[in-house]
Amino acid sequence: MDTQTSLHHANRKVMNRHDLTRRLVARLHREEAVIGGIGNTNFDLWMTGQRPQNFYMLGSMGLACPIALGVALAQPGRGVVALEGDGSLLMQLNCLATIGAIAPANLLVIVMDNACYQITGAQPTATAARADLVAIAQGAGIANSHWAADEAGFEQLVERCLAQPGPHLIAARIDSQPATGTTERDPALIRQRFMRGIAVTT
Amino acid sequence: MHEPPPSWSLEVHAVLQRAGIRQAFYVPDAGLSQLIELLHADPAVATTVLTTEQEGVAMAAGAWLGGQRSVLLMQSSGVGNCVNMFSLLASCRFPLLAMVTMRGEWAEFNPWQVAMGMATPAVLAAMGITVLRVDAAAEAAPTVEAAAAAAFDCDQAVAVLLSQRMLGRKQWVTQ
Ligand SMILES: Cc1ncc(C[n+]2csc(CCOP(=O)(O)OP(=O)(O)O)c2C)c(N)n1
């Protein structure tokens, strides 16, 4: 794919989803909630170890951000991270404007941009052409939106975003590798584990 | 804001307060405007204006995951926007309390609203959502109260349809 030559990506390293997810999880020290988007994004989250504060969204594209926003509003004292693929975010770009408007201080969105719908056969998405998700997020009102230049830059951004009031968005260019495993599939169990993991009793 | 709110909005707001609602999401509709104002003025409720109704389904799930009860308000055309997102409720057994103002029925003047309005109850039912219909203003509050109990005590997804007959014909004239 000729995304490598795309101008807005000139100085950005192509990284790996599983590696970046590991780096993210290693920086979660305060029981932050993580909402993994459909497919590879949540598979690689699962493969980093099943933290009780992880929610794995397996049904529809584009829901990780609005689910995370609901959690962030319900638990303003807890950091909440939404992990989403570029194709999924593109389907629900409008949610960036809602996040920009509500401006929850405890929300971080991380986009794994492989410029394709990897899991359905790696068909190119709009980010393979000209769409720039960081520019879109900034335009939607999430001023703290950044591309990670490389792994060290990603780690620095994550640490800064977890320490400072958001909302924040980090986008990373990643390769088109599939995830390293798959998530267990019982949705009600996933929900219950997560709610216990973030101290909700019903 | 120029007329006093009709009593059903006040009564429903009181029901939502008693039910412990902490988040409210909406795409506006004229029939809901007074309830929306009451929710905005309520310090116990975080109110989010949505860009699309499907976002509200996911936010309601997130609110529940985070330990809060919520209400989702929309017009019947918004139900069409939500269909795929409703699957989240059934798969994870999330509760949902939705209030839907109907179009396309009693004395509708706009033919563009008819198809989605007519399909609304069937679409909700097809996605496993319990449908409760309100045809008289006096029934709104008790119906929402019953819906809240079914949603939050019984893990059901419930939509209360506020009929066009109840909301009153004259409201639509300016649209
Ligand atoms: C509404 C909807 N349309 C289509 C699909 C099929 N589908 C599942 S995952 C996926 C691709 C997701 O792309 P992206 O978020 O970029 O993740 P990647 O596969 O690249 O890791 C598609 C098209 C779906 N699940 N839901």
Side-chain angles (χ1 to χ4, degrees):
Chain A
M1 213 156 296
D2 65 12
T3 51
Q4 323 287 353
T5 59
S6 163
L7 266 184
H8 69 267
H9 287 312
N11 299 315
R12 290 174 197 132
K13 188 175 169 194
V14 175
M15 297 172 270
N16 175 267
R17 186 191 312 98
H18 180 69
D19 176 62
L20 291 182
T21 310
R22 272 194 15 250
R23 292 171 193 265
L24 165 71
V25 169
R27 276 155 189 80
L28 303 176
H29 302 304
R30 279 174 291 183
E31 303 202 339
E32 289 89 347
V34 183
I35 314 296
I38 184 174
N40 288 317
T41 313
N42 89 60
F43 295 168
D44 267 337
L45 176 64
W46 175 269
M47 295 306 287
T48 62
Q50 293 98 56
R51 298 169 67 249
Q53 298 82 23
N54 291 352
F55 183 75
Y56 308 93
M57 163 63 225
L58 279 148
S60 307
M61 293 168 70
L63 290 195
C65 291
I67 292 175
L69 178 56
V71 176
L73 288 171
Q75 298 206 359
R78 183 187 302 274
V80 180
V81 182
L83 284 182
E84 194 68 291
D86 55 306
S88 298
L89 186 61
L90 284 165
M91 193 177 278
Q92 204 70 240
L93 281 178
N94 53 296
C95 74
L96 297 176
T98 307
I99 292 169
I102 301 290
N106 56 334
L107 182 62
L108 163 62
V109 177
I110 298 182
V111 193
M112 300 288 182
D113 185 1
N114 54 11
C116 67
Y117 301 99
Q118 197 284 330
I119 209 164
T120 52
Q123 303 85 351
T125 64
T127 68
R130 280 166 292 278
D132 180 329
L133 292 171
V134 167
I136 290 168
Q138 284 168 345
I142 307 177
N144 294 313
S145 299
H146 302 281
W147 282 102
D150 54 20
E151 285 84 355
F154 178 80
E155 291 180 348
Q156 276 166 17
L157 282 170
V158 168
E159 278 167 14
R160 199 166 82 202
C161 294
L162 292 175
Q164 292 175 7
H168 306 274
L169 181 140
I170 302 171
R173 296 184 72 201
I174 60 161
D175 59 37
S176 51
Q177 288 300 306
T180 47
T182 52
T183 307
E184 274 175 18
R185 282 214 167 73
D186 184 336
L189 190 64
I190 287 171
R191 171 177 66 74
Q192 275 168 4
R193 274 195 201 138
F194 176 79
M195 290 175 76
R196 283 197 202 111
I198 63 167
V200 174
T201 47
T202 53
Chain B
M1 285 300 272
H2 306 296
E3 299 163 23
S7 62
W8 75 261
S9 295
L10 285 170
E11 287 167 11
V12 166
H13 178 238
V15 164
L16 296 176
Q17 284 181 313
R18 279 203 299 282
I21 297 298
R22 292 288 171 268
Q23 296 191 41
F25 323 109
Y26 67 91
V27 173
D29 185 36
L32 291 165
S33 61
Q34 283 147 333
L35 180 58
I36 288 169
E37 280 168 18
L38 290 166
L39 289 165
H40 270 289
D42 185 341
V45 179
T47 305
T48 300
V49 56
L50 303 165
T51 52
T52 158
E53 293 82 358
Q54 54 189 321
E55 195 183 13
V57 178
M59 283 191 72
W64 184 253
L65 285 174
Q68 290 191 338
R69 298 175 171 199
S70 66
V71 64
L72 172 59
L73 312 177
M74 68 179 85
Q75 187 193 77
S76 48
S77 25
V79 170
N81 285 353
C82 293
V83 180
N84 181 41
M85 302 307 162
F86 286 146
S87 60
L88 179 67
L89 308 173
S91 14
C92 293
R93 243 176 349 100
F94 277 117
L96 178 75
L97 174 61
M99 293 178 60
V100 180
T101 45
M102 292 303 297
R103 294 295 306 267
E105 39 174 56
W106 184 261
E108 177 62 66
F109 67 91
N110 181 354
W112 300 86
Q113 289 283 359
V114 175
M116 189 64 232
M118 278 179 66
T120 291
V123 165
L124 288 165
M127 294 311 292
I129 295 173
T130 304
V131 177
L132 302 177
R133 192 182 162 85
V134 179
D135 278 310
E139 290 303 310
T143 308
V144 173
E145 190 148 38
F152 303 121
D153 299 335
C154 196
D155 285 348
Q156 288 190 62
V158 189
V160 176
L161 307 188
L162 304 176
S163 78
Q164 213 164 342
R165 181 174 195 179
M166 167 206 145
L167 293 167
R169 185 175 176 169
K170 75 173 184 334
Q171 265 176 315
W172 312 118
V173 175
T174 52
Q175 291 171 55

